[in-house]
Amino acid sequence: MKQLARHLMQSTDITFDNFGETGTLFTELLRARYHHFIETRGWDLPNTRGLEFDQYDTPESIYCTVHEGLDVYGGFRVTPTTAHCVNASYMLRDAQLGLLPNLPLSILDEPAPQDPAVWEVSRVFVSDSLSSHNRMRVRKELGESFARLARTWNINAFLCLTSVTAALLTRRSGLQISPAGPRFEAGGETCQAYHLIVNSGGSQSQVA
């Protein structure tokens, strides 16, 4: 199991505006996503040259990665629910509209929001190469990253699509999660959409 040095682990937010400083790290994030979702989980996702990406990886998304140097141990993507690129908006809404055949139309209990203060969370992962203790450290760092993003980008609410197993583990990192839709099978895992509540210094960011 990989051991992390506490003083070297850091969390970095990646945007298309700071690619001059984070471009190489972004490539390693896509490489880590390929390993986690395609090689390890066996998901059928778009990829090339060992990098995983899809139609939602656009300048409207922001990425958070927990890493030591260029070794990526966890991350996620957030996309505003107002996003629009060619024929895509964001994953949960496009699924509800029937544009993603591998996801159910009933993925959300309510109509998918289109609100600049509501953002979708996707591609959440923590490396399986870490010890259980270090995986918890990474989850805690990711939880703190949600709170930081909420403050920085004026995000009042999150919707998250993830596996039920990952959701249960996320609760241990200090985040509050409640179902936003029914469970379904995808990529050999039981998945579900969730409302995500972030406790940030006494205030909360949440899906209403």
Side-chain angles (χ1 to χ4, degrees), residues 6 27 35 47 50 53 60 75 87 97 103 111 116 126 134 147-148 162 168 177-178 182 185-187:
R6 182 175 296 276
T27 300
H35 174 72
N47 67 91
F53 61 90
E60 293 192 84
N87 295 322
L97 293 174
L103 296 176
V126 175
N134 282 327
R148 181 179 66 251
T162 189
L168 291 173
I177 288 184
S178 60
E185 297 298 316

Side-chain angles (χ1 to χ4, degrees), residues 150-164:
R151 292 191 303 268
T152 302
W153 294 91
N154 297 316
I155 301 170
N156 295 330
F158 289 100
L159 279 173
C160 181
L161 176 62
T162 189
S163 69
V164 172

Side-chain angles (χ1 to χ4, degrees), residues 9-43:
M9 188 176 73
Q10 60 182 306
S11 175
T12 298
D13 297 338
I14 301 173
T15 72
F16 277 62
D17 293 320
N18 66 17
F19 259 16
E21 298 77 35
T22 64
T24 302
L25 181 61
F26 180 67
T27 300
E28 293 307 312
L29 173 63
L30 297 184
R31 200 181 311 280
R33 280 174 30 177
Y34 177 90
H35 174 72
H36 183 83
F37 292 110
I38 296 176
E39 291 187 319
T40 303
R41 298 292 186 270
W43 290 16

Side-chain angles (χ1 to χ4, degrees), residues 99-135:
L99 301 178
L100 301 177
N102 292 329
L103 296 176
L105 298 175
S106 59
I107 197 166
L108 293 173
D109 291 333
E110 299 178 353
Q114 290 185 286
D115 183 332
V118 179
W119 291 47
E120 177 187 66
V121 181
S122 57
R123 291 299 192 270
V124 183
F125 75 96
V126 175
S127 174
D128 291 332
S129 69
L130 302 175
S131 67
S132 59
H133 172 71
N134 282 327
R135 287 198 298 270

Side-chain angles (χ1 to χ4, degrees), residues 46-122:
N47 67 91
T48 187
R49 297 192 302 275
L51 308 176
E52 182 272 307
F53 61 90
D54 63 18
Q55 64 268 43
Y56 306 108
D57 290 310
T58 76
E60 293 192 84
S61 291
I62 299 171
Y63 306 82
C64 179
T65 178
V66 177
H67 60 105
E68 285 183 355
L70 294 177
D71 292 329
V72 174
Y73 298 118
F76 60 82
R77 174 180 65 194
V78 291
T79 304
T81 58
T82 54
H84 183 79
C85 183
V86 190
N87 295 322
S89 58
Y90 65 97
M91 190 182 301
L92 287 167
R93 181 171 184 269
D94 286 352
Q96 198 174 61
L97 293 174
L99 301 178
L100 301 177
N102 292 329
L103 296 176
L105 298 175
S106 59
I107 197 166
L108 293 173
D109 291 333
E110 299 178 353
Q114 290 185 286
D115 183 332
V118 179
W119 291 47
E120 177 187 66
V121 181
S122 57

